[in-house]
Amino acid sequence: MFRPHVFLSRSEPNGCDCNCWPARRAVMQVLRELDCEPIVVDRESLVPGQDWMEAISDGMGSAHGMLLIVSAHAIMSPHVQNELAMAELRNRHDGFPVMLLMLPEVDRDTLEKSRLGSLNPTRRQTVDWPDDGDLEAIRRDIAPQLELIRVGLNGSKVHHRVVHHLRDVDEPTLNRASATLGMPAEMLSPLIRHRVATGLLMERQSAPGNDPLRSALTELLPLQASTASRELIELSVTHARVPAADAARMHQTVQDEAPRVAVLPARFTDTARRYVHRVSEQPLPWDHFVAPITAGAGVLDGLVEGIRDFLEDQIDVYDDETLREHEHEFGPVVVIVPHPPDPDLVARLGAEFPVGILFLFVVDGALVGAAGPHTELEGLPEPREEEMNRTVRRFVRKYGTSWSN
């Protein structure tokens, strides 16, 4: 797991007998216990010949947040003032978080009247140093802010898209949804949306009766825009119900040599569409379509012609070069084939489309196991497959159409 870097802003003269040094040691210990990397600039950390301000600038540039130990020495320090000014500039630009640990010798009024007061430091999250120096109390108070830094570094576009959709949901509703999803309670407002997003996207089987995912969606919906409601429904249900292990198998298949073939035991092509969305790991799924299967002797020719028509008419792809280009920029095209993957069919498709396409065959579970170069997915038991598709249909009908909001 990635370790967030937290810049430690402080001032502690040698021989100081106040709380400066105990606070520094305690904070560094707590940060490491919470899987963060403290960044400390002092004489011991300077590279020979390195300028002090250069070191501070480098440290701030590599940090994901700052924790300022507010002591009687810190509020008089020009270095601390410079560090807080840098943090303020970053906060305005990219929301750089700043936390304040208030030592007993400095109260908020004194802080506001100090040389740091012009930077409005008390607008930031403040944590009071406990009288008994209890590390557990410090850990409890700063852990939510550190978690917020960590989720901000979460590279999942799907997660951040869900957080974006929850931006206008009020806190009482978010707290109820969070409790329904079994997520821990949280008082830090920006973190609640991340917690709810995590709960919505967490893989979980459907539960009979009062299902947590469906109950949470009922609590959160409708959103202000029907399109946002629909996307929240589709992303949540897809990630909660499609097994991550199957998505990983599909993703591995994409890395294989052609023909890239996966076989999904399922009753409905809608199920295949949700599998495509899950493996895409994007708010929008990879381009995909259900290939036309004609009855009679011309199945192969009709399938190849139908794929070429889709590629040309829908996504402006005409040959192997443009297929490679499309996969590089948007991901592979997924052709959903509601037909068993017999060897002749797979060989012909691989010869006609050697690059840029993943073939996802949808077959009855009893047919899985046929010989050939393909990845067999586990699929969902029939009741869970039906619940997944039914949930999307019902919730989109209720909340995700223009007339429903």
Side-chain angles (χ1 to χ4, degrees):
M1 180 183 294
F2 184 80
R3 290 165 61 88
H5 292 185
V6 179
F7 186 92
L8 201 57
S9 180
R10 78 283 168 264
S11 177
E12 61 277 308
N14 289 328
C16 171
D17 60 358
C18 64
N19 288 302
C20 293
W21 284 99
R24 169 177 166 166
R25 288 190 290 268
V27 167
M28 291 180 68
Q29 177 181 335
V30 168
L31 287 174
R32 290 190 174 109
E33 289 174 352
L34 293 173
D35 206 27
C36 295
E37 185 65 37
I39 298 178
V40 177
V41 177
D42 55 19
R43 289 180 176 82
E44 288 73 26
S45 66
L46 286 178
V47 176
Q50 186 179 25
D51 178 73
W52 183 274
M53 286 306 300
E54 178 188 357
I56 291 174
S57 180
D58 290 345
M60 286 290 294
S62 65
H64 305 106
M66 185 176 91
L67 194 152
L68 167 58
I69 300 177
V70 183
S71 67
H73 309 294
I75 63 175
M76 300 296 294
S77 169
H79 291 304
V80 170
Q81 185 178 22
N82 287 333
E83 290 161 5
L84 186 57
M86 291 181 193
E88 178 69 17
L89 286 174
R90 283 198 58 185
N91 178 270
R92 292 175 183 174
H93 176 68
D94 60 9
F96 185 75
V98 179
M99 299 164 280
L100 274 61
L101 176 61
M102 303 289 295
L103 299 191
E105 57 265 29
V106 181
D107 58 27
R108 285 162 175 73
D109 185 58
T110 302
L111 174 60
E112 288 286 1
K113 293 177 180 178
S114 73
R115 66 194 311 162
L116 304 182
S118 62
L119 297 169
N120 298 314
T122 52
R123 291 185 296 111
R124 310 302 176 194
Q125 183 197 10
T126 58
V127 175
D128 292 320
W129 176 261
D131 293 336
D132 57 1
D134 180 16
L135 290 188
E136 184 56 39
I138 299 172
R139 183 184 297 107
R140 181 185 63 247
D141 289 341
I142 70 171
Q145 184 67 57
L146 296 176
E147 183 182 347
L148 185 59
I149 294 174
R150 185 173 283 107
V151 297
L153 299 173
N154 181 345
S156 169
K157 292 183 179 180
V158 172
H159 176 94
H160 289 289
R161 186 66 175 170
V162 171
V163 171
H164 174 76
H165 284 321
L166 298 175
R167 68 192 184 282
D168 294 324
V169 180
D170 61 80
E171 287 190 24
T173 299
L174 289 167
N175 283 321
R176 290 193 296 271
S178 181
T180 299
L181 293 165
M183 304 304 292
E186 180 49 56
M187 297 302 294
L188 191 61
S189 298
L191 188 54
I192 299 173
R193 288 169 177 79
H194 287 281
R195 290 259 176 98
V196 174
T198 298
L200 290 171
L201 298 172
M202 182 183 300
E203 183 177 339
R204 61 177 83 219
Q205 295 185 15
S206 58
N210 190 22
D211 176 76
L213 177 65
R214 296 196 300 269
S215 297
L217 287 173
T218 301
E219 188 72 56
L220 294 166
L221 297 169
L223 303 177
Q224 290 188 359
S226 59
T227 53
S229 294
R230 181 181 187 120
E231 189 171 53
L232 182 68
I233 294 162
E234 292 179 341
L235 290 174
S236 300
V237 176
T238 294
H239 281 72
R241 301 307 195 223
V242 174
D246 270 354
R249 292 186 187 98
M250 290 180 68
H251 194 272
Q252 181 57 51
T253 303
V254 172
Q255 313 306 315
D256 294 343
E257 296 294 326
R260 299 182 289 186
V261 176
V263 183
L264 173 65
R267 293 184 59 204
F268 309 104
T269 53
D270 277 351
T271 304
R273 292 182 184 276
R274 311 216 187 287
Y275 268 68
V276 174
H277 204 166
R278 178 67 179 83
V279 73
S280 304
E281 293 293 352
Q282 297 283 341
L284 296 176
W286 291 334
D287 286 309
H288 62 281
F289 81 112
V290 179
I293 300 294
T294 57
V299 172
L300 273 173
D301 291 337
L303 181 57
V304 169
E305 182 180 353
I307 295 172
R308 292 200 185 283
D309 287 345
F310 173 82
L311 295 176
E312 293 181 10
D313 297 341
Q314 301 299 318
I315 56 176
D316 289 327
V317 167
Y318 307 97
D319 53 24
D320 290 353
E321 181 180 352
T322 50
L323 263 175
R324 288 192 186 93
E325 181 182 277
H326 185 278
E327 179 169 9
H328 176 73
E329 295 172 346
F330 306 114
V333 177
V334 183
V335 178
I336 299 170
V337 186
H339 192 280
D342 63 71
D344 290 342
L345 178 56
V346 170
R348 173 72 182 279
L349 291 175
E352 295 282 350
F353 306 99
V355 298
I357 292 183
L358 170 65
F359 295 99
L360 180 58
F361 287 84
V362 181
V363 300
D364 185 277
L367 296 177
V368 176
H374 57 251
T375 300
E376 292 188 8
L377 306 176
E378 292 291 334
L380 293 168
E382 185 175 318
R384 287 169 53 193
E385 180 188 0
E386 290 180 349
E387 184 274 340
M388 175 178 69
N389 292 315
R390 185 174 63 252
T391 296
V392 172
R393 289 195 304 270
R394 290 172 60 227
F395 276 76
V396 167
R397 187 182 306 119
K398 179 72 174 177
Y399 302 112
T401 56
S402 57
W403 54 265
S404 63
N405 282 29

